[in-house]
Amino acid sequence: MQHLHLLGCMVIAGLLTACGGGSSSQQQVKDELQPQPDLSLGHLAIVSQDNERVALSLYDLSQNKTVFNTPLKQLPLATYSSPSYGYAVLMDRVAGEVSFVAAGSQPKILDYRLYGAAPTHYRQINGQAAVFYDGNDTQSSKFDVFTDQDVAQGLVASQRLPYKHHGVAEPRGNMVLSSYLAETETQVSTVKSYAQHGDHYHEEQTMTHACSGLHGAASNQNFIGFGCQDGVLLVEQQGQRFIDTKIATPARIGTLLGHEKVSDLVALASTQQELFIVDPVNQQADIVAWNDQNLKRLKPSFSTSGKYFVILDDQGGLSILDSSTWQVLHYLPLLNQETTLSQAQLAMHGTQDHVFINDANTKQILQIDLNTAQIVQRIQLDVVPQQIAWLKN
């Protein structure tokens, strides 16, 4: 009987020990049930300007708070996301430099920078970006091409061109299509291809069609378009070779937009508000009227997936178009007439079809879900947001 009594005590002791362990497990389960930050929400890089004080901050969308802030010497020309959203890319045309701000767990401005006279046009597609520098009286134009990994390693490929001009470069894998000013030209009308050789490029091919008044470029998976005085210079890439043709439009094209998953290119003319939808395969441009209220385009953009094309207009409204049919799906009145609409920017979320729009008057940033056409968040700031870009964690 005494033996049984001892055994019973041992069993009870074991159960008590087990209960003690159960308490630890319950605490672990409780901890796991606590809301965890959704790292996929990312950061917003926000360039602000108040009373001539310019600063860059990173707003953590999972924590709903600012996690980094640093002063800037002056307001950049523009702020973009890097090709894989790891960095904010600040284009300072006045200082002639391009700087990078890393997000993630340890935000910082990188010591590594790019330099050149008047960095102006920034183009990116398929994980690559190109910066085109217009040049000045002492420096000719050039372009830099990079990925996020290139920036991390400080290994950016670059090519200097013979003469200064306001131009653009389109990255295409190990190839680049760039505007080119010949010695005999006073206005840019030529596009050349370049092949990468380590940290620089070799000239390969000159497109056969001229593009007078060249301004703006965009790509999809197989085609590249350049805006011309008389239409669009359309270039098809076949490996390292390019075949070009011309698509006429009744107005000068100064802006093009494209997406790697969308077969059409969008061409815009400053003299009329319709969209020229360029079909590269059939080599034609169709006019699409996206509103019947005489609204003027301010900021257009494809969504991250390419499913939507959005237009912010001069009345502060956002039109959401289906990029497969070019029909308007929704119209959202967002910013009132008192808002400084010229300062409004569009920044696309990198993993969701959401768009961020800054409102300088209310010091807010609106987040809109393009699938539901709903405002899902209003981020209230104590500074005036001038430029925004989405970055991953």
Side-chain angles (χ1 to χ4, degrees):
M1 292 294 295
Q2 185 178 7
H3 175 71
L4 291 174
H5 175 72
L6 291 173
L7 181 60
C9 288
M10 291 172 64
V11 171
I12 293 172
L15 290 173
L16 288 173
T17 302
C19 288
S23 175
S24 175
S25 297
Q26 288 175 1
Q27 183 62 44
Q28 182 179 355
V29 170
K30 183 179 178 180
D31 291 342
E32 290 176 351
L33 291 176
Q34 295 297 319
Q36 300 296 317
D38 186 352
L39 298 181
S40 68
L41 296 180
H43 290 82
L44 277 182
I46 304 169
V47 175
S48 60
Q49 185 175 29
D50 277 320
N51 300 321
E52 297 185 359
R53 179 184 180 272
V54 182
L56 178 136
S57 60
L58 293 179
Y59 186 88
D60 190 312
L61 292 166
S62 63
Q63 302 181 57
N64 290 316
K65 67 177 184 179
T66 299
V67 294
F68 177 78
N69 188 279
T70 186
L72 299 177
K73 294 179 181 178
Q74 56 199 0
L75 187 69
L77 173 69
T79 300
Y80 300 99
S81 305
S82 63
S84 297
Y85 303 101
Y87 305 96
V89 183
L90 278 63
M91 306 265 287
D92 192 332
R93 180 180 168 89
V94 175
E97 66 179 40
V98 178
S99 55
F100 302 91
V101 180
S105 59
Q106 295 182 323
K108 63 179 180 179
I109 295 182
L110 301 191
D111 293 332
Y112 178 72
R113 300 189 178 196
L114 304 177
Y115 297 95
T120 304
H121 271 168
Y122 178 84
R123 291 287 309 126
Q124 66 174 21
I125 186 171
N126 285 329
Q128 277 185 308
V131 175
F132 191 93
Y133 303 77
D134 286 352
N136 57 24
D137 291 338
T138 59
Q139 298 180 52
S140 63
S141 295
K142 74 164 192 171
F143 59 79
D144 292 328
V145 180
F146 57 86
T147 65
D148 279 38
Q149 185 177 4
D150 294 333
V151 173
Q153 297 176 348
L155 299 173
V156 169
S158 181
Q159 181 63 33
R160 189 163 292 281
L161 302 171
Y163 304 102
K164 69 171 185 177
H165 67 278
H166 181 57
V168 64
E170 195 72 12
R172 301 292 303 182
N174 67 338
M175 304 293 292
V176 172
L177 284 180
S178 174
S179 58
Y180 181 92
L181 182 66
E183 184 177 8
T184 56
E185 289 184 318
T186 57
Q187 186 183 49
V188 179
S189 64
T190 302
V191 173
K192 289 180 178 287
S193 69
Y194 295 81
Q196 185 175 356
H197 289 259
D199 64 353
H200 63 283
Y201 290 82
H202 291 174
E203 181 183 320
E204 293 289 325
Q205 184 181 346
T206 301
M207 301 305 110
T208 59
H209 291 78
C211 181
S212 60
L214 189 153
H215 192 274
S219 291
N220 59 23
Q221 200 62 36
N222 299 311
F223 293 90
I224 310 96
F226 293 87
C228 311
Q229 189 73 40
D230 54 355
V232 175
L233 174 63
L234 183 67
V235 184
E236 181 180 5
Q237 182 173 5
Q238 297 182 351
Q240 293 192 331
R241 299 296 297 170
F242 297 90
I243 301 173
D244 64 289
T245 187
K246 202 71 170 291
I247 297 179
T249 57
R252 181 198 177 195
I253 301 300
T255 301
L256 286 106
L257 298 100
H259 191 284
E260 54 264 35
K261 295 181 180 179
V262 180
S263 59
D264 294 327
L265 299 175
V266 180
L268 306 177
S270 60
T271 56
Q272 56 192 94
Q273 295 303 311
E274 295 89 349
L275 307 179
F276 292 95
I277 304 303
V278 179
D279 178 350
V281 175
N282 295 311
Q283 298 186 7
Q284 64 185 38
D286 296 321
I287 296 178
V288 170
W290 55 278
N291 79 90
D292 56 3
Q293 303 174 33
N294 295 319
L295 300 175
K296 295 181 179 179
R297 299 183 311 267
L298 292 182
K299 300 291 188 306
S301 180
F302 278 100
S303 68
T304 296
S305 71
K307 182 179 179 181
Y308 303 107
F309 187 81
V310 300
I311 301 171
L312 180 68
D313 62 53
D314 64 336
Q315 301 300 306
L318 188 74
S319 297
I320 305 174
L321 286 71
D322 183 334
S323 66
S324 64
T325 64
W326 301 108
Q327 298 297 310
V328 176
L329 301 174
H330 303 282
Y331 182 78
L332 298 177
L334 296 175
L335 309 178
N336 61 45
Q337 291 297 305
E338 297 177 356
T339 299
T340 310
L341 291 172
S342 62
Q343 297 179 6
Q345 305 285 320
L346 302 181
M348 291 298 168
H349 195 293
T351 61
Q352 304 174 8
D353 273 333
H354 287 197
V355 61
F356 298 91
I357 302 176
N358 59 315
D359 186 336
N361 283 42
T362 63
K363 298 182 179 180
Q364 288 185 339
I365 297 176
L366 309 182
Q367 181 179 354
I368 296 97
D369 184 337
L370 299 178
N371 294 297
T372 62
Q374 298 291 325
I375 298 174
V376 296
Q377 184 175 197
R378 293 179 182 268
I379 301 171
Q380 185 64 57
L381 305 171
D382 57 6
V383 294
V384 178
Q386 299 277 1
Q387 300 169 4
I388 52 176
W390 186 89
L391 308 177
K392 67 181 181 182
N393 283 66

